[in-house]
Amino acid sequence: MNKLYVVGIGPGSKENMTFKAVDAIKEADTIVAYTKYLAYVEDFINGKEIIKTGMTGEKERCQLAIDEYNKGKTVAIISTGDSGLYGMAGLVYEIDPSINIEVVPGVSAAFSSASVVGAPLMHDTALISLSDLLTDWDLILKRVRNCADADMVIALYNPKSKKRVDHLKEALDIIREYRDAQAPIAMVKNALREGMDYRISTLDDVDYDFCDMNTTVIIGNSQSYIKNGKFITPRGYKL
């Protein structure tokens, strides 16, 4: 029986892909992906049919993948990070949940970024995208406020774009109402990819110019701290 794999490839580097992700891509007859993502899997797609679309082509990609599946092919549609978190899995299921779908998870940006700066996600964590293309901005800010009030570590995706210059500042201004000025914050750009860079600082010293759409921002809870240049959130063990 043919299958539609929805594959999360993690940060994009081969060493951070799961064996299952590699196997699914190798098994597929057809690969469907955002054009930029093909470079991350080029070692595994020789001789396969390739279907690619540009930015904001998510619905088109999912429909194309389903169309190829309906022709009897085994298909892999590619997401970076985890396919079930801001990826293609949900949209594929929304379009046609009746077909033979297998979601292949991958390392999400929050986890790859956390590994670079220490151990900031050791306690309850909220993942929030600041992109308001599909979600109302007031609702996003409500979620930021509620998670800050609950003293959760917060990982912010899509913090800044050319059009959304001030979204990160608005979100951090809310978080500052619930956090000390010395609460740690990490900004990781291109986590575990070529061109990776990061900053660890505090809420009173944020480099907004560093951020772009490829940056993940992690804000600690009330117990988080910086030690020896590492961002640490205690789990609660007595040492």
Side-chain angles (χ1 to χ4, degrees):
M1 180 182 294
N2 64 316
K3 184 178 291 188
L4 174 52
Y5 289 107
V6 191
V7 183
I9 62 170
S13 50
K14 288 185 293 184
E15 62 270 23
N16 289 297
M17 291 174 62
T18 66
F19 291 124
K20 178 65 177 179
V22 173
D23 287 345
I25 292 169
K26 288 181 175 179
E27 182 182 333
D29 306 304
T30 303
I31 306 297
V32 181
Y34 167 44
T35 304
K36 182 179 176 181
Y37 296 165
L38 290 170
Y40 299 141
V41 295
E42 60 184 359
D43 289 351
F44 312 117
I45 60 175
N46 258 346
K48 298 182 181 295
E49 178 185 18
I50 306 298
I51 298 175
K52 54 189 177 181
T53 68
M55 181 69 78
T56 71
E58 291 87 356
K59 286 191 291 185
E60 179 187 2
R61 281 200 296 280
C62 289
Q63 188 61 62
L64 288 167
I66 291 169
D67 291 346
E68 292 302 304
Y69 166 88
N70 285 332
K71 295 175 185 176
K73 299 176 183 177
T74 291
V75 182
I77 183 168
I78 304 296
S79 297
T80 54
D82 177 66
S83 55
L85 177 65
Y86 308 129
M88 296 293 96
L91 188 51
V92 168
Y93 273 114
E94 286 184 77
I95 294 172
D96 190 349
S98 68
I99 63 177
N100 185 20
I101 301 167
E102 181 171 346
V103 177
V104 180
V107 179
S108 186
F111 304 117
S112 54
S113 297
S115 73
V116 172
V117 298
L121 308 183
M122 281 292 295
H123 219 301
D124 299 333
T125 299
L127 309 180
I128 302 175
S129 171
L130 296 188
S131 172
D132 57 1
L133 291 175
L134 301 173
T135 307
D136 184 77
W137 180 236
D138 288 338
L139 178 57
I140 293 172
L141 291 181
K142 179 181 179 180
R143 290 170 176 171
V144 170
R145 181 175 296 279
N146 288 343
C147 292
D149 184 37
D151 199 26
M152 300 180 76
V153 177
I154 300 174
L156 299 175
Y157 287 59
N158 307 312
K160 185 178 178 182
S161 69
K162 292 179 180 179
K163 294 182 179 180
R164 295 183 290 101
V165 177
D166 296 322
H167 278 29
L168 178 60
K169 184 178 186 304
E170 286 187 56
L172 292 185
D173 283 345
I174 289 173
I175 293 170
R176 287 188 182 95
E177 298 176 27
Y178 302 88
R179 296 286 191 279
D180 186 270
Q182 292 300 301
I185 180 170
M187 299 181 176
V188 185
K189 185 182 298 183
N190 299 314
L192 305 183
R193 293 178 181 167
E194 184 177 352
M196 184 177 74
D197 197 3
Y198 68 92
R199 304 279 189 275
I200 299 176
S201 60
T202 56
L203 275 177
D204 65 351
D205 183 26
V206 176
D207 183 2
Y208 292 102
D209 291 334
F210 178 78
C211 277
D212 61 14
M213 280 291 287
N214 296 315
T215 305
T216 304
V217 179
I218 302 174
I219 305 98
N221 66 18
S222 62
Q223 304 301 308
S224 303
Y225 60 92
I226 300 170
K227 186 174 183 180
N228 294 334
K230 296 298 182 181
F231 182 162
I232 302 167
T233 298
R235 179 69 180 89
Y237 298 109
K238 294 182 180 180
L239 301 178

